[in-house]
Amino acid sequence: MRIVALTGAGMSAESGVPTFRDAGTGLWARFDPQALATPEAFAADPARVWGWYRWRAAGVAAAQPHAGHAGLARLARAHALRVVTQNVDDLHERAGSREVVHLHGALFTSRCSRCAQPAAPEPLLRPARAGDDGRVPPPDCARCGAPVRPGVVWFGEALPSAAWDAAVAAVREAELAIVVGTSGLVQPAASLPGLAAAAGAAVLEINPTPTPLTASATASWRCSAAEGVQRLAARLDAGERDPAALIS
Ligand SMILES: NC(=O)c1ccc[n+]([C@@H]2O[C@H](COP(=O)([O-])OP(=O)(O)OC[C@H]3O[C@@H](n4cnc5c(N)ncnc54)[C@H](O)[C@@H]3O)[C@@H](O)[C@H]2O)c1
Ligand SMILES: [Zn+2]
């Protein structure tokens, strides 16, 4: 069966990586992630934004993929399954998924903010001491001296076109689209489930909370990502191939 898994921050929540909505703990609680994840925020205060990404990167590095990540990687061995994620973490890859499409970039691909030279070795994986206010100055580009930035797509920036094209191709081909742990608020990623449906796919939402995508989904399972993926995998393993029965 041709399946596309469209995953968002809720996919990583059970691994202990906070979503943007419940990121509000500790030092960074008083900052709005949407206000930190912008080119304007980085230009105004690079050390504050870099410090925040250092904090997020440390959380991701300490996290482990869960049974939902592993389930998708395993299903890809028996089915034409593509993972398209809004997540910048590497939990899908660490669970064994290959060729993951990262619509919003990847945390551990920092590059120069001016000339785009990749920063190596990856600075977000090196230890650094933050100030009491969480600030950490980003390193300078080895080629041109401008500050290094995280390899993620910030609010207001265009998506990498190759990733977007791969995502559209995957949803157009899919018989089943599963939409896991995304609030459906960030465009254009939020338009992918609709594209899948328009191309004839059954759309299953896996999310403990209703979202704007719920109304147009073929079915919604109000459960966690790990639980939902495991339930789907069990039905596929049992030989069920009818999309409507799979997601009922
Ligand atoms: N891990 C990451 O890489 C990460 C983390 C936070 C935010 N982001 C970025 O934030 C932006 C916000 O979009 P978004 O829709 O991905 O996230 P979001 O924070 O807006 O929404 C998260 C969704 O996950 C659901 N959820 C929470 N726990 C869940 C669980 N255990 N299982 C399944 N679903 C669960 C919530 O109900 C919510 O609908 C994206 O651009 C994304 O790149 C990424
Ligand atoms: Zn440079």
Side-chain angles (χ1 to χ4, degrees), residues 112 115 141 144:
C112 175
C115 76
C141 170
C144 80

Side-chain angles (χ1 to χ4, degrees), residues 7-15 17-23 33-34 52 56 60 66 85-91 102-105 107 152-153 155 179-186 189 205-212 221 223-227:
T7 70
M11 182 80 206
S12 301
E14 283 160 290
S15 292
V17 178
T19 65
F20 273 2
R21 283 216 207 124
D22 46 38
Q34 301 226 17
W52 184 60
R56 289 185 62 196
V60 166
H66 59 66
T85 187
Q86 293 176 68
N87 296 340
V88 299
D89 64 55
D90 57 355
L91 294 173
H102 281 275
L103 289 173
H104 293 163
L107 208 42
V152 304
V153 178
F155 292 103
V179 186
V180 190
T182 173
S183 61
L185 297 173
V186 180
E205 174 182 64
I206 299 175
N207 196 315
T209 312
T211 74
W221 290 353
C223 61
S224 79
E227 213 183 315

